[in-house]
Amino acid sequence: MNGSGKASQIRVAVLGTWNWLEVAADLLRCANIPCDVIDIRSLPRLAGWAIRGNLRRYDFVYRVGGSCWSLGLLFKLLGRKVVWHWIGSDVLGFRSDRQRRGVRGWIGRRAAYRWAFAHLADSPQLAQELQELGLSPQVVRLLPKCIEASPQPLPEKFTVLSYWTKGRRTFYGGDIVFALAQAMPEVAFLVVGTEAADEPAAPANVKCLGYLKDLSPIYSRSSVLVRLPQHDSLSAMVLEMLARGRYVIYNKNLPGCHQAGDFDGALRALKEIRDRGQINAAGSEMVKQDFSREKEARTLSRLLNGC
């Protein structure tokens, strides 16, 4: 909350990575900061929207997903304060783009280093990466409402969940997931984010469900999440599964999870979890104790309200 319990006098436009816009907006509303989600996914259309004067009603632009040279230039020309909230693989893109030569590279560096009002990072690990690139972000975790859940009984049928989007199977460790499915043909595997038509190599016991707006029913059907990306901040899916007493096999060191970085480690963890047969009470309690949307909202309030 913003301390006074009253709505802030500022107004914020939230734009950027489309599937995180409502999460960011919800945190701002939790801080009593009025905001609007601007879900315009075409850069020319967004530029037209801004140039027509729509930005004048906002004090801040809250960009979910790190620096973008063209947007940085646009917001600078239109005189708006920009908060860049870095969420994961955008850091990889910035690490590459900051070496770019020419006008585009110069604008990108200016946007990140000189023109931004503030930088936020979704996790301490991401903040450390950005510090190594010369930025000074505050840590504000993008925590969705879905982490505020209670433990649920495990499904009768042991089921594995994973996630990746079209063309990103290798980045998210999906090749290992397919190998796990082949090694455990009696186990059902669910993959959200990618369509069955885009995964012709999927084993017979893998069902690809595509994009789903509400994952709660899928969490109820799942026993364990396997998440092995090449780069990550802290996945909301990890916290959402843990909050419900589910298990997570993760290639990051996080309390309540089984850490594994390759096929052999993941297979051992899957078999151990399958044989355990009880909810992950420790993981659920960890989320409850260590992750608070109200805490993140207070940080946003102090930053944007200057208090």
Side-chain angles (χ1 to χ4, degrees), residues 160-292:
V160 180
L161 176 65
S162 195
Y163 165 89
W164 61 83
T165 52
K166 180 180 179 179
R168 302 273 281 172
R169 184 178 70 237
T170 298
F171 178 87
Y172 279 99
D175 296 325
I176 295 176
V177 173
F178 280 2
L180 292 169
Q182 290 173 331
M184 304 178 74
E186 74 286 358
V187 174
F189 283 70
L190 305 176
V191 181
V192 295
T194 189
E195 302 282 351
D198 298 319
E199 304 297 338
N205 56 327
V206 175
K207 186 174 183 180
C208 297
L209 304 175
Y211 169 73
L212 299 174
K213 186 174 183 179
D214 182 9
L215 290 178
S216 296
I218 301 303
Y219 293 149
S220 296
R221 292 171 55 188
S222 304
S223 311
V224 54
L225 171 70
V226 176
R227 186 169 177 95
L228 308 172
Q230 295 175 7
H231 184 273
D232 208 5
S233 176
L234 177 57
S235 165
M237 287 185 70
V238 167
L239 299 180
E240 291 164 4
M241 283 284 282
L242 291 175
R244 289 161 173 78
R246 270 59 181 144
Y247 291 87
V248 176
I249 298 172
Y250 204 10
N251 57 359
K252 295 171 68 73
N253 182 14
L254 183 69
C257 297
H258 287 67
Q259 188 173 10
D262 57 18
F263 168 80
D264 291 334
L267 183 61
R268 284 195 299 271
L270 269 183
K271 291 179 177 179
E272 177 186 333
I273 293 167
R274 179 193 59 188
D275 295 341
R276 186 169 297 183
Q278 58 188 12
I279 66 168
N280 182 5
S284 178
E285 184 63 22
M286 184 277 296
V287 174
K288 182 178 179 181
Q289 294 296 323
D290 295 348
F291 295 90
S292 164

Side-chain angles (χ1 to χ4, degrees), residues 62 83-87 117-128 130-131 135-142 233 295-307:
Y62 192 108
V83 176
W84 301 103
H85 202 147
W86 302 81
I87 57 177
F117 173 79
H119 291 281
L120 305 176
D122 184 53
S123 69
Q125 296 82 1
L126 214 59
Q128 178 62 39
L130 291 167
Q131 288 169 7
L135 300 178
S136 300
Q138 294 188 57
V139 175
V140 174
R141 294 191 183 276
L142 282 173
S233 176
K295 173 178 176 291
E296 307 307 327
R298 287 194 295 269
T299 302
L300 285 180
S301 179
R302 287 193 296 268
L303 173 67
L304 299 183
N305 287 305
C307 60

